[in-house]
Amino acid sequence: MSRRLEFLDEAVEDIRLMRVRGAAAIARYAVEALRRLAGDAEAYNAEELFKLLDEASKKLLASRPTAVSLPNGVRFVMHKAKKMLESNPSLEDFRRGFKEAADEFIERSLKAVERIAEYGSRRIEDGDILMTHCNSSAVVEILKKAHMEGKSFKVFITETRPLYQGRITARQLGGEGIETYLIVDGAARYFMNDIDKVIVGADAVAVNGAVVNKIGTSMIALAAHEARTQFLVAAETFKFSPETIIGELIWIEERGSEEVLPSEEHKRIPLCRVRNPAFDVTPPEYIDAIITEEGVIPPEAAFHIMEQMFGNLTPDELASYKTVKPLEESE
Ligand code: RI2
C-alpha cells in the first residue's frame, strides 16, 4: 500500500473510531486530509490528481454517516476542484487552488462558530440554569462567551452514554470557571423543571427543521417541551442537509455493541442483543430556535437557509459526495 493511502486510511480510522469527533471537527479534519493529499500526492496532471481526491473523498465519506458537515465540507472543496478542472489548469495551479478552497472551508467553519457564540450568548441571561447534552463545540463556545461577558449561570450536563462526552463538556466548562452539574442521562426529566434553557449542538438539520443530534437529545427535547423549557440548537449552516431537499434521508449511525456492553460480559448474557444508535431525530415542533452564523432562526426556516447555501447546485450535484452506509453496522 502506498504512503498516500496509508495516511488516508489513518484519517478515516481516526474519524470512524472517534479519535476525532464532533460534527464540525470531523468536517475540518476530512477537508484537511484532502488538502494534505492535494499537496503531497504524485500525479501527472490536474485531472489525475482530481481522481485521487475523488477516491479519497469517498473513503472519508464512508467513515461516519450522520454528521452532514462531513459531506458538505467534502462537497465544498470537490465542487471547486471540478470547476477548476474546466479551465485545464496546470498541476501546480490545481494544487494551489485546491489548498485555497480547503483553507476557505476551514476558515468559514471556524468563523461560523465564532459568530454562533456571539448570537447564542445573547440568549443566555444572568442567573440562568441551563442543560446541555453530549459535547458540542458550538455550545461550549456560546457558554464561554456568555461567561466572558460576565453572566453568571450554571449548566447541567448529561453524561451521554455510551461514550461519556458529557465529561468532556464538564472539563471544558470547568476549565473556564463555569459551574456545572454532571447527571446521568436518565435524570434529565427529573431536573427539567429547574432548567431555564436547554442548548444542544447538531450533527444535521433536515429540510423540515428536524435536528439530528446525539442519541437522547429527542427525549430531553420532549421533557423540555412538557416543562415549557426553551430548547435551543446551535448549528452552523453547513450542518444543514441539502440532500433532504431531494428526498434523501439522513443515515443514523449505529455503532458497535461493545460500546454499551463489553463483549466478555455480553457472552455471559443469553439472548441479549445490543442496539447502539449514535443519534436521534428531534422534530421541529420541540425546537424553539436554531442558532446559526446567519442568525437565530425558527426551525421552519431551514429550507430558506438551504436555498441560500445550495440553491445553485443541480439535483445531481446535491446527490454527489453523500455519506454512505457505514463500514460496520452492529446487528
Ligand atoms: P459540534 C457530536 O457527535 C454530538 O452529537 C454533538 O452534539 C455534535 O457532534 C455537534 O458537535 P459525536 O461526534 O460540531 O460525539 O458542535 O458523535 O462540535
Side-chain angles (χ1 to χ4, degrees):
M1 192 186 289
S2 76
R3 263 179 41 227
R4 161 176 56 80
L5 286 178
E6 270 170 32
F7 152 71
L8 255 172
D9 287 344
E10 261 170 48
V12 170
E13 284 300 279
D14 284 344
I15 299 174
R16 192 176 71 85
L17 299 173
M18 295 177 68
R19 291 192 285 251
V20 176
R21 54 147 296 280
I26 64 178
R28 289 195 294 267
Y29 191 70
V31 168
E32 187 67 59
L34 292 174
R35 186 190 190 284
R36 186 169 156 193
L37 183 68
D40 293 357
E42 282 170 26
Y44 292 111
N45 55 32
E47 206 148 307
E48 199 191 327
L49 183 54
F50 178 84
K51 278 195 193 124
L52 294 174
L53 288 162
D54 185 62
E55 267 168 43
S57 297
K58 283 168 188 152
K59 284 189 155 205
L60 287 160
L61 289 171
S63 59
R64 286 192 77 190
T66 304
V68 164
S69 42
L70 175 60
N72 278 344
V74 169
R75 202 181 279 126
F76 182 93
V77 289
M78 291 308 287
H79 281 154
K80 289 206 176 215
K82 213 169 173 190
K83 281 259 141 39
M84 271 193 287
L85 269 194
E86 284 167 13
S87 58
N88 270 328
S90 69
L91 180 60
E92 280 326 301
D93 284 349
F94 183 75
R95 280 193 208 277
R96 193 172 343 103
F98 191 89
K99 288 200 257 178
E100 278 169 15
D103 290 341
E104 190 185 336
F105 176 78
I106 291 166
E107 206 185 309
R108 275 197 194 195
S109 155
L110 295 170
K111 278 251 154 61
V113 177
E114 259 176 50
R115 193 57 76 77
I116 286 174
E118 213 175 282
Y119 296 161
S121 67
R122 296 196 183 122
R123 299 296 289 251
I124 311 295
E125 289 162 285
D126 206 43
D128 265 352
I129 312 281
L130 306 168
M131 184 181 280
T132 191
H133 183 54
C134 199
N135 175 250
S136 151
S137 54
V139 170
V140 168
E141 289 310 309
I142 288 174
L143 300 180
K144 274 164 64 176
K145 178 102 171 110
H147 178 71
M148 264 160 41
E149 287 166 351
K151 291 173 189 166
S152 159
F153 53 87
K154 296 186 172 93
V155 189
F156 278 73
I157 305 167
T158 48
E159 57 182 359
T160 316
R161 279 282 289 149
L163 296 180
Y164 301 103
Q165 290 98 321
R167 294 177 186 174
I168 306 174
T169 307
R171 260 198 307 276
Q172 290 173 342
L173 296 183
E176 297 293 321
I178 299 171
E179 233 183 285
T180 63
Y181 297 92
L182 191 65
I183 59 170
V184 297
D185 298 352
R189 182 165 177 262
Y190 180 85
F191 288 109
M192 194 53 81
N193 281 328
D194 304 330
I195 304 294
D196 297 299
K197 282 151 206 162
V198 175
I199 178 162
V200 298
D203 291 81
V205 180
V207 67
N208 66 345
V211 166
V212 179
N213 193 48
K214 182 57 54 192
I215 190 78
T217 303
S218 68
M219 283 199 310
I220 297 174
L222 197 61
H225 187 71
E226 178 195 42
R228 295 176 194 275
T229 298
Q230 255 188 64
F231 189 90
L232 305 170
V233 176
E236 304 88 313
T237 54
F238 64 80
K239 307 252 180 84
F240 286 58
S241 165
E243 297 99 307
T244 56
I245 299 178
I246 53 165
E248 303 255 0
L249 299 175
I250 296 167
W251 277 103
I252 299 290
E253 174 183 16
E254 183 143 359
R255 300 183 60 83
S257 64
E258 68 292 343
E259 286 183 355
V260 176
L261 188 62
S263 50
E264 274 313 299
E265 207 176 330
H266 198 177
K267 279 183 208 144
R268 293 196 292 270
I269 308 179
L271 296 174
C272 173
R273 284 189 187 177
V274 171
R275 297 293 307 266
N276 184 20
F279 302 98
D280 65 19
V281 183
T282 300
E285 53 273 26
Y286 296 157
I287 300 167
D288 288 285
I290 305 179
I291 305 161
T292 78
E293 75 277 22
E294 299 293 331
V296 180
I297 62 158
E300 294 74 23
F303 173 71
H304 299 292
I305 290 277
M306 289 183 197
E307 236 186 350
Q308 240 179 61
M309 282 187 70
F310 307 105
N312 58 335
L313 299 183
T314 63
D316 278 354
E317 284 172 329
L318 283 176
S320 64
Y321 298 113
K322 293 181 303 186
T323 49
V324 290
K325 206 163 180 233
L327 293 173
E328 197 180 85
E329 270 193 327
S330 70
E331 250 293 276

